[in-house]
Coordinates of all heavy atoms in Angstrom, one line a residue:
L1 N -4.6 6.2 -10.5 CA -4.4 6.2 -9.0 C -3.6 5.1 -8.6 O -2.7 5.2 -7.5 CB -5.7 6.2 -8.3 CG -6.8 7.3 -8.5 CD1 -8.2 7.0 -7.8 CD2 -6.1 8.6 -7.9
D2 N -3.5 4.0 -9.3 CA -2.8 2.8 -9.0 C -1.2 3.2 -9.2 O -0.4 2.9 -8.3 CB -3.1 1.6 -9.8 CG -2.2 0.4 -9.4 OD1 -1.9 0.1 -8.3 OD2 -1.6 -0.1 -10.4
N3 N -1.0 3.8 -10.2 CA 0.4 4.2 -10.4 C 0.9 5.3 -9.5 O 2.1 5.3 -9.0 CB 0.6 4.9 -11.9 CG 0.7 3.9 -12.9 OD1 1.0 2.7 -12.7 ND2 0.4 4.2 -14.2
L4 N 0.0 6.1 -9.0 CA 0.3 7.0 -7.9 C 0.7 6.3 -6.7 O 1.7 6.6 -6.0 CB -0.8 8.0 -7.7 CG -1.0 9.1 -8.8 CD1 -2.3 9.9 -8.4 CD2 0.2 10.0 -8.8
L5 N 0.0 5.2 -6.3 CA 0.2 4.5 -5.1 C 1.7 3.9 -5.3 O 2.4 3.8 -4.3 CB -0.7 3.3 -4.9 CG -0.5 2.4 -3.8 CD1 -0.4 3.1 -2.5 CD2 -1.6 1.2 -3.8
R6 N 2.0 3.4 -6.4 CA 3.3 2.8 -6.7 C 4.4 3.8 -6.3 O 5.4 3.6 -5.8 CB 3.5 2.2 -8.0 CG 2.6 1.1 -8.4 CD 2.7 0.7 -9.9 NE 1.7 -0.2 -10.3 CZ 1.7 -1.5 -10.3 NH1 2.8 -2.1 -9.8 NH2 0.7 -2.2 -10.8
G7 N 4.2 5.1 -6.8 CA 5.1 6.1 -6.6 C 5.2 6.5 -5.1 O 6.3 6.8 -4.7
W8 N 4.0 6.5 -4.4 CA 4.0 6.8 -3.0 C 4.9 5.8 -2.2 O 5.5 6.2 -1.3 CB 2.6 6.9 -2.5 CG 1.6 7.9 -3.3 CD1 2.1 9.1 -3.8 CD2 0.2 7.9 -3.3 NE1 0.9 9.7 -4.3 CE2 -0.1 9.0 -4.0 CE3 -0.7 6.9 -2.9 CZ2 -1.5 9.2 -4.4 CZ3 -2.1 7.2 -3.1 CH2 -2.4 8.3 -4.0
A9 N 4.8 4.5 -2.7 CA 5.4 3.5 -1.9 C 6.9 3.7 -2.1 O 7.7 3.4 -1.1 CB 5.1 2.0 -2.5
L10 N 7.3 4.1 -3.1 CA 8.8 4.4 -3.4 C 9.2 5.6 -2.6 O 10.3 5.7 -2.0 CB 9.1 4.5 -4.9 CG 9.0 3.3 -5.7 CD1 9.3 3.7 -7.2 CD2 10.1 2.3 -5.3
Q11 N 8.3 6.7 -2.6 CA 8.8 8.0 -2.1 C 8.6 7.9 -0.5 O 9.5 8.6 0.2 CB 7.9 9.1 -2.6 CG 8.3 10.5 -2.2 CD 7.5 11.5 -2.9 OE1 6.6 11.2 -3.7 NE2 7.7 12.7 -2.5
Y12 N 7.5 7.3 0.1 CA 7.3 7.4 1.5 C 7.3 6.0 2.1 O 6.8 5.8 3.3 CB 5.9 8.0 1.7 CG 5.6 9.2 0.9 CD1 4.5 9.3 0.1 CD2 6.2 10.4 1.1 CE1 4.2 10.5 -0.6 CE2 6.0 11.5 0.4 CZ 5.0 11.5 -0.5 OH 4.7 12.6 -1.1
G13 N 7.9 5.1 1.5 CA 8.0 3.6 1.9 C 7.8 3.3 3.4 O 6.7 2.6 3.8
P14 N 8.7 3.7 4.3 CA 8.7 3.3 5.7 C 7.5 4.1 6.6 O 7.3 3.8 7.7 CB 10.0 3.5 6.2 CG 10.6 4.7 5.4 CD 10.0 4.5 4.0
R15 N 7.0 5.2 6.0 CA 6.1 6.1 6.7 C 4.8 5.2 6.9 O 4.4 4.4 6.1 CB 5.9 7.4 6.0 CG 7.3 8.3 6.0 CD 6.8 9.6 5.4 NE 5.8 10.3 6.2 CZ 6.1 10.9 7.3 NH1 7.4 11.2 7.7 NH2 5.1 11.6 8.0
T16 N 4.0 5.6 7.9 CA 2.7 5.0 8.2 C 1.6 5.7 7.3 O 1.5 6.9 7.3 CB 2.3 5.2 9.7 OG1 3.3 4.5 10.5 CG2 0.9 4.6 9.9
A17 N 1.0 4.8 6.5 CA 0.0 5.3 5.6 C -1.4 5.3 6.1 O -2.2 6.1 6.2 CB 0.0 4.4 4.2
L18 N -1.7 4.1 6.9 CA -2.9 3.8 7.5 C -2.8 3.4 8.9 O -1.9 2.5 9.2 CB -3.7 2.7 6.7 CG -3.7 2.9 5.2 CD1 -4.6 1.5 4.5 CD2 -4.6 4.3 4.8
A19 N -3.7 4.0 9.8 CA -3.7 3.4 11.1 C -5.1 3.2 11.6 O -6.1 3.9 11.1 CB -3.1 4.5 12.0
H20 N -5.3 2.2 12.2 CA -6.6 1.7 12.7 C -6.6 0.9 14.0 O -6.0 -0.1 13.9 CB -7.4 0.8 11.6 CG -8.7 0.4 12.0 ND1 -8.9 -1.0 12.3 CD2 -9.9 1.0 12.1 CE1 -10.2 -1.2 12.7 NE2 -10.9 0.0 12.5
G21 N -6.9 1.6 15.1 CA -6.7 0.8 16.4 C -5.2 0.6 16.5 O -4.4 1.5 16.4
D22 N -4.7 -0.6 16.7 CA -3.4 -1.0 17.0 C -2.7 -1.3 15.6 O -1.4 -1.5 15.6 CB -3.2 -2.1 17.9 CG -3.7 -1.8 19.3 OD1 -3.6 -0.6 19.7 OD2 -4.2 -2.6 20.0
T23 N -3.4 -1.2 14.6 CA -2.8 -1.6 13.2 C -2.1 -0.5 12.6 O -2.8 0.7 12.7 CB -3.9 -2.1 12.3 OG1 -4.6 -3.2 12.9 CG2 -3.3 -2.5 10.9
R24 N -1.0 -0.6 12.1 CA -0.1 0.2 11.3 C 0.3 -0.4 10.1 O 0.7 -1.4 10.1 CB 1.0 0.7 12.1 CG 0.7 1.5 13.5 CD 0.2 2.8 13.2 NE -0.1 3.7 14.4 CZ -1.2 3.5 15.1 NH1 -2.1 2.6 14.9 NH2 -1.3 4.2 16.3
I25 N 0.0 0.4 9.0 CA 0.4 -0.1 7.6 C 1.3 0.9 6.9 O 0.8 2.1 6.7 CB -0.8 -0.5 6.7 CG1 -1.6 -1.6 7.4 CG2 -0.3 -0.9 5.3 CD1 -2.9 -1.9 6.7
T26 N 2.4 0.7 6.5 CA 3.3 1.6 6.0 C 3.0 1.6 4.5 O 2.3 0.8 3.9 CB 4.9 1.1 6.0 OG1 5.1 -0.1 5.2 CG2 5.3 1.0 7.5
Y27 N 3.5 2.7 3.8 CA 3.2 2.8 2.3 C 3.8 1.7 1.5 O 3.0 1.2 0.6 CB 3.9 4.2 1.8 CG 3.1 5.4 2.1 CD1 3.1 6.0 3.4 CD2 2.1 5.9 1.2 CE1 2.4 7.2 3.7 CE2 1.5 7.1 1.4 CZ 1.6 7.7 2.8 OH 0.8 8.8 3.0
A28 N 4.9 1.2 2.0 CA 5.5 0.0 1.2 C 4.6 -1.2 1.4 O 4.3 -1.9 0.4 CB 6.9 -0.2 1.7
A29 N 4.1 -1.4 2.7 CA 3.4 -2.6 3.0 C 2.0 -2.5 2.3 O 1.5 -3.5 1.6 CB 3.2 -2.8 4.4
L30 N 1.5 -1.1 2.2 CA 0.3 -1.0 1.5 C 0.3 -1.5 0.0 O -0.5 -2.2 -0.6 CB -0.3 0.5 1.7 CG -1.5 0.8 0.9 CD1 -2.7 0.1 1.3 CD2 -1.8 2.4 1.1
N31 N 1.4 -1.0 -0.7 CA 1.6 -1.2 -1.9 C 1.7 -2.8 -2.2 O 1.2 -3.3 -3.2 CB 2.7 -0.5 -2.6 CG 3.0 -0.7 -4.1 OD1 1.9 -0.4 -4.8 ND2 4.1 -1.2 -4.4
R32 N 2.4 -3.5 -1.3 CA 2.6 -4.9 -1.5 C 1.3 -5.6 -1.2 O 1.0 -6.6 -2.1 CB 3.6 -5.5 -0.5 CG 5.1 -5.1 -0.8 CD 6.0 -6.0 0.1 NE 5.7 -5.7 1.5 CZ 6.5 -4.8 2.3 NH1 7.3 -3.9 1.7 NH2 6.3 -4.6 3.5
R33 N 0.5 -5.2 -0.3 CA -0.8 -5.9 -0.1 C -1.7 -5.6 -1.2 O -2.4 -6.6 -1.6 CB -1.4 -5.3 1.2 CG -0.6 -5.9 2.4 CD -1.2 -5.3 3.8 NE -2.5 -5.7 4.1 CZ -3.2 -5.5 5.3 NH1 -2.5 -4.9 6.2 NH2 -4.4 -5.8 5.6
V34 N -1.7 -4.5 -1.8 CA -2.5 -4.2 -2.9 C -2.2 -5.1 -4.2 O -3.0 -5.7 -4.9 CB -2.5 -2.7 -3.4 CG1 -3.0 -2.6 -4.7 CG2 -3.2 -1.8 -2.3
G35 N -1.0 -5.2 -4.4 CA -0.5 -6.1 -5.5 C -0.7 -7.5 -5.3 O -1.3 -8.2 -6.4
R36 N -0.7 -8.1 -4.1 CA -1.0 -9.5 -3.9 C -2.5 -9.7 -3.9 O -2.9 -10.7 -4.5 CB -0.4 -10.0 -2.6 CG 1.2 -9.9 -2.6 CD 1.7 -10.6 -1.3 NE 1.6 -12.0 -1.5 CZ 2.3 -12.9 -2.0 NH1 3.3 -12.5 -2.7 NH2 2.0 -14.2 -2.1
M37 N -3.3 -8.7 -3.2 CA -4.7 -8.9 -3.4 C -5.3 -8.7 -4.9 O -6.1 -9.5 -5.3 CB -5.3 -7.9 -2.5 CG -6.9 -8.0 -2.5 SD -7.9 -6.8 -1.6 CE -7.4 -7.4 0.2
A38 N -4.6 -7.8 -5.6 CA -5.0 -7.7 -7.0 C -4.8 -8.9 -7.9 O -5.7 -9.4 -8.6 CB -4.2 -6.5 -7.7
A39 N -3.6 -9.6 -7.6 CA -3.4 -10.9 -8.3 C -4.4 -11.9 -7.9 O -4.9 -12.7 -8.7 CB -2.0 -11.3 -8.0
G40 N -4.9 -11.9 -6.6 CA -5.9 -12.8 -6.1 C -7.2 -12.6 -6.7 O -7.8 -13.5 -7.1
F41 N -7.6 -11.3 -6.9 CA -8.8 -11.0 -7.6 C -8.8 -11.6 -9.0 O -9.8 -12.3 -9.5 CB -9.1 -9.5 -7.6 CG -9.8 -9.0 -6.4 CD1 -9.2 -7.8 -5.8 CD2 -10.8 -9.4 -6.0 CE1 -9.7 -7.3 -4.6 CE2 -11.5 -8.9 -4.8 CZ -10.8 -7.8 -4.2
R42 N -7.6 -11.4 -9.7 CA -7.5 -11.9 -11.1 C -7.6 -13.4 -11.1 O -8.4 -14.0 -11.9 CB -6.2 -11.5 -11.7 CG -6.1 -10.0 -11.9 CD -6.8 -9.3 -13.0 NE -6.2 -9.8 -14.2 CZ -6.6 -9.5 -15.4 NH1 -7.7 -8.6 -15.6 NH2 -6.1 -9.9 -16.6
L43 N -7.0 -14.1 -10.0 CA -6.9 -15.6 -10.0 C -8.4 -16.1 -9.7 O -8.7 -17.1 -10.2 CB -6.1 -16.0 -9.0 CG -5.8 -17.5 -8.7 CD1 -5.1 -18.1 -10.0 CD2 -4.9 -17.8 -7.4

């Protein structure tokens, strides 16, 4: 599923992946946030 997310970020990068109230997160931003949080979990 993680590799799929990386592919979605490349394919759909600027599109909105998640919406919650006034918050909008694109596919590219979602993948970046996942990568940085994953590294934080490991740290």
Side-chain angles (χ1 to χ4, degrees):
L1 295 176
D2 177 50
N3 280 339
L4 288 174
L5 174 60
R6 297 175 193 268
W8 302 333
L10 291 174
Q11 186 174 0
Y12 310 122
R15 295 184 60 84
T16 299
L18 306 177
H20 177 255
D22 295 331
T23 299
R24 297 289 185 275
I25 301 176
T26 67
Y27 280 83
L30 174 60
N31 186 54
R32 285 194 300 271
R33 289 175 65 170
V34 165
R36 296 190 69 86
M37 183 181 284
F41 277 128
R42 300 279 295 181
L43 186 65

